[in-house]
Amino acid sequence: NAGVMQNPRHLVRRRGQEARLRCSPMKGHSHVYWYRQLPEEGLKFMVYLQKENIIDESGMPKERFSAEFPKEGPSILRIQQVVRGDSAAYFCASSPMTGANTEAFFGQGTRLTVV
Amino acid sequence: KNEVEQSPQNLTAQEGEFITINCSYSVGISALHWLQQHPGGGIVSLFMLSSGKKKHGRLIATINIQEKHSSLHITASHPRDSAVYICAVRSRYGNKLVFGAGTILRVKS
């Protein structure tokens, strides 16, 4: 049973390009969370999705950022027209359900560098 | 003030020492997580607590719900324990995790 898989592990984009980050949750997990870790800062929540639904996007910037978790395939975090301030590590976590005693399993992260 | 505060920010210990990392939070929670992150690496979940105490190998985590405080202890520390340790809480009213800033631990041989 593979863990949470994120790809790519490292991504370099020029300013103005688009970045697509992928997260395949653990088998049987239908809940996905995206978190961002800016350099020298702690992790911050971005968005929580269930299959085909965005449940909570309160941590996601209103512009340029979008997320989806289609019925088939991985969850995608998309950043349009990237800027240097988007450089960060983006982590995905998945869980089988929601609730108080739900473990969250994290991926290895995608390190985005905007040049 | 952050909802989750960790102390110390940085900790250097000699191999074999007993280590304690503290976490205080200000919101009602349903669970508290201790996570480990190696430089450039992924995040590993060490413990999930909603009450009492848990032990796994040389690691022990405790939580006091009334005082809104948790501690992570490492006994007989080893250089391979060097990492960032992160406390995170799951709010009673939501699903997302709120993180502390992390404690950078370095264990010297």
Side-chain angles (χ1 to χ4, degrees):
Chain A
N1 186 10
V4 178
M5 303 299 291
Q6 288 189 249
N7 68 82
R9 290 289 305 275
H10 299 274
L11 181 61
V12 179
R13 283 287 176 265
R14 294 187 186 279
R15 279 178 296 170
Q17 289 185 319
E18 178 179 287
R20 279 185 181 242
L21 288 62
R22 292 174 190 78
C23 170
S24 295
M26 286 182 71
K27 189 177 179 181
H29 288 195
S30 58
H31 298 252
V32 165
Y33 305 79
W34 285 94
Y35 298 95
R36 178 165 69 172
Q37 187 175 41
L38 290 165
E40 309 302 323
E41 292 189 23
L43 286 148
K44 295 281 194 302
F45 167 79
M46 297 184 75
V47 62
Y48 162 40
L49 310 105
Q50 291 180 38
K51 281 285 186 182
E52 300 184 274
N53 290 304
I54 296 175
I55 307 301
D56 181 352
E57 56 182 349
S58 59
M60 200 140 77
K62 294 287 183 281
E63 295 179 355
R64 302 187 298 108
F65 284 73
S66 62
E68 62 177 12
F69 188 17
K71 189 176 179 182
E72 302 291 337
S75 175
I76 306 283
L77 179 67
R78 183 180 175 210
I79 312 171
Q80 295 179 287
Q81 299 173 340
V82 295
V83 301
R84 288 223 169 101
D86 297 331
S87 296
Y90 292 82
F91 288 93
C92 167
S94 75
S95 64
M97 65 185 77
T98 186
N101 295 315
T102 304
E103 281 274 10
F105 298 86
F106 286 83
Q108 290 288 306
T110 293
R111 271 118 186 120
L112 172 66
T113 303
V114 179
V115 296
Chain B
K1 190 178 188 303
N2 292 335
E3 290 176 298
V4 182
E5 296 276 356
Q6 281 186 241
S7 63
Q9 280 187 294
N10 291 279
L11 181 56
T12 300
Q14 206 61 40
E15 183 174 358
E17 284 185 0
F18 180 83
I19 288 163
T20 295
I21 299 170
N22 295 299
C23 175
S24 296
Y25 53 91
S26 56
V27 296
I29 68 167
S30 58
L32 181 144
H33 297 250
W34 280 103
L35 310 167
Q36 181 193 56
Q37 184 179 25
H38 285 281
I43 295 169
V44 175
S45 178
L46 299 175
F47 294 104
M48 183 182 68
L49 294 160
S50 53
S51 64
K53 177 180 173 179
K54 286 190 176 179
K55 184 174 189 292
H56 185 248
R58 295 180 295 106
L59 301 178
I60 303 165
T62 63
I63 188 168
N64 184 319
I65 297 293
Q66 285 73 32
E67 294 186 5
K68 292 189 166 70
H69 181 269
S70 175
S71 293
L72 176 68
H73 305 286
I74 305 175
T75 61
S77 59
H78 190 276
R80 66 173 173 265
D81 297 326
S82 298
V84 179
Y85 291 84
I86 303 167
C87 171
V89 301
R90 191 182 302 278
S91 163
R92 190 179 295 154
Y93 305 108
N95 294 294
K96 63 191 181 191
L97 291 174
V98 179
F99 299 85
T103 294
I104 302 171
L105 171 65
R106 182 177 167 224
V107 181
K108 298 194 290 186
S109 56

